[in-house]
Amino acid sequence: MSLPLSLLDLAPICEGQSISNALSNSRELAKQAERSGYQRVWLAEHHGMHGVASSATAIMLGNIAGATNHIRVGAGGVMLPNHAPLVIAEQFGTLETLYPGRIDLGLGRAPGTDMATAKALRRNLNGNAHVDTYPDDIKELQHYLGTPVPGQKIIAVPGANTHIPLWLLGSSLYSAQLAASVGLPYSFASHFAPDQLFDALHVYRSMFTPSDTQESPYVMAGVMAVVADTDEEAQYLFTSVQQQFMNMRRGLNKPFAKPVDDLSAICSEADYAMLSHVLRYALVGSKATVAAQLAKFVEATEVDEVIVSMPIHNLEARLKSVALLAEINI
C-alpha cells in the first residue's frame, strides 16, 4: 500500500482456546504483518477481560519484537493513569534498548477496564487512578525519555536519551485537543468509537502546535477489517466481533466467540442497530469489496495512516486477512 498500514492486535483469547494460544497467535500475526509490509504492530492494554490477553503490554511487546526483525512495535496504547510515568519510561526504555529504533509508545487516558479493576491496579497510594493528572504525566514521561538536564534527580535507567516516539490515542475531542497542544501524532479509535471522528480530526488539525518532535499534524485512524475470498465468508467471520460487542453491551465478560452461521438467531433489532452504528467503519468482504470501503474511508478522513484490527476467531483466516488487506493499493 502507498498509504501506511498498521496493525492493532488485541491478543484475543478465543472461545475454545487458551491464553497461551492467544500469546502464540499474536507472535504469528506480527510475523505476518511484517511479511506483508505493515508499518507497525501495536498491542492495547486491557485488564480483567476474558477475551483479551494483552494486559502486561510491555512484556508482550518484547515477545513480539523478538519474533520479528524490522517492523515497528508499540503500545496502542498504554493507559497512563494506571501507571507511574517513571515505570513506563523504564519499561519502554528497556524495549528501545533491546530493539533500537523499533519501539512506539501510544498513550491513552481511560483505565482500560472496569472501575473495580482500575482501583485494584493501585496507581496511587489510596488505590485511585486520577485522569486529571494526564497532561502532567505525559510531560513527566517525555522528561524521563529525553536527555537528562544537569542536576536532574530522577533518571530512568533504561529510558533516558531513548527519545521514544509518543502518540496520543483517544476517541474524544479532549484527546484531539491535547494531542494538538503538545504537538504529538494522534490516533483516533474509530474502530469502536466512531461518533466524534470527524470533529476530532478537525480539532486536532486546526489547533496543532508544532513541537520538537512533530512539525505538522499526523493522524492515524482505526478500523476493523475482515478480508476473505468472498463477501459471504467475510460476513461469516465478522459475526465473532459482532457477538463480542453484543456481549459487552449486555455486561457479559466472555472469550472471543466463534463465528455463527445465523446471527439473526441471537441478535435483536436493537442489537443490529447498535452494531450498525458502532461498527460503521468496519471493512468486511472480499479484497475488491474492502478496497472500495477503504478508499472511501481514506478519502473522507484524509488520514496519514490507517491502523487495522483483525477480529477473526480462526488464526489462519486472520493471517490471510492481514495478507489480503496489504495487497490493496490506496
Side-chain angles (χ1 to χ4, degrees):
M1 294 185 67
S2 56
L3 182 79
L5 183 66
S6 294
L7 187 67
L8 175 64
D9 180 16
L10 298 180
I13 304 169
C14 294
E15 181 183 0
Q17 298 182 12
S18 67
I19 296 175
S20 179
N21 293 143
L23 302 181
S24 176
N25 291 348
S26 287
R27 281 198 307 273
E28 295 306 311
L29 196 69
K31 289 158 68 175
Q32 180 62 61
E34 184 171 75
R35 288 192 296 268
S36 297
Y38 284 65
Q39 181 84 359
R40 64 190 92 240
V41 56
W42 281 1
L43 284 98
E45 175 187 349
H46 293 279
H47 298 277
M49 298 181 68
H50 295 307
V52 180
S54 53
S55 56
T57 314
I59 296 175
M60 282 203 65
L61 292 177
N63 191 27
I64 296 300
T68 52
N69 297 306
H70 57 79
I71 192 170
R72 296 195 66 87
V73 173
V78 161
M79 301 298 105
L80 193 54
N82 294 341
H83 311 279
L86 178 60
V87 172
I88 299 304
E90 291 172 341
Q91 290 177 355
F92 280 79
T94 300
L95 287 168
E96 175 63 23
T97 303
L98 290 169
Y99 307 101
R102 295 182 56 199
I103 303 302
D104 297 328
L105 178 48
L107 303 173
R109 180 171 174 256
T113 187
D114 60 272
M115 295 315 298
T117 306
K119 186 175 181 179
L121 288 168
R122 293 190 297 274
R123 159 66 199 276
N124 297 297
L125 294 179
N126 62 6
N128 295 318
H130 294 289
V131 297
D132 57 355
T133 63
Y134 184 52
D136 292 333
D137 288 344
I138 293 169
K139 292 179 183 178
E140 184 179 348
L141 180 57
Q142 289 178 307
H143 179 65
Y144 292 139
L145 296 174
T147 300
V149 299
Q152 182 173 325
K153 294 182 178 180
I154 302 174
I155 307 292
V157 183
N161 288 309
T162 55
H163 305 284
I164 296 167
L166 298 186
W167 293 67
L168 291 197
L169 283 54
S171 57
S172 68
L173 302 186
Y174 172 88
S175 57
Q177 184 174 352
L178 180 58
S181 69
V182 296
L184 289 176
Y186 179 53
S187 182
F188 189 87
S190 38
H191 58 294
F192 71 87
D195 288 349
Q196 293 187 298
L197 170 61
F198 289 96
D199 288 340
L201 296 185
H202 173 73
V203 166
Y204 173 69
R205 288 169 173 150
S206 63
M207 298 182 66
F208 185 84
T209 301
S211 65
D212 293 339
T213 58
Q214 191 71 33
E215 294 182 356
S216 58
Y218 191 92
V219 176
M220 176 194 289
V223 296
M224 291 190 182
V226 178
V227 194
D229 289 331
T230 66
D231 289 351
E232 292 75 19
E233 181 186 0
Q235 289 291 344
Y236 166 71
L237 296 173
F238 189 56
T239 61
S240 289
V241 76
Q242 289 174 311
Q243 292 176 78
Q244 182 188 40
F245 273 86
M246 290 162 57
N247 287 334
M248 288 191 297
R249 292 301 171 95
R250 293 166 182 167
L252 303 176
N253 190 349
K254 291 186 173 184
F256 190 67
K258 295 178 181 179
V260 294
D261 291 317
D262 183 12
L263 188 68
S264 65
I266 57 174
C267 188
S268 67
E269 289 188 12
D271 289 328
Y272 273 119
M274 178 273 294
L275 293 172
S276 177
H277 177 78
V278 74
L279 299 175
R280 74 181 79 166
Y281 297 127
L283 314 175
V284 183
S286 66
K287 192 165 70 170
T289 297
V290 168
Q293 296 170 343
L294 180 57
K296 183 178 179 180
F297 180 81
V298 172
E299 181 181 8
T301 58
E302 299 182 308
V303 291
D304 302 293
E305 187 171 337
V306 173
I307 188 163
V308 183
S309 170
M310 296 280 182
I312 300 172
H313 183 276
N314 177 269
L315 176 61
E316 293 306 316
R318 201 184 313 166
L319 298 177
K320 185 173 183 178
S321 181
V322 169
L324 289 174
L325 184 65
E327 294 172 2
I328 295 172
N329 186 26
I330 296 296

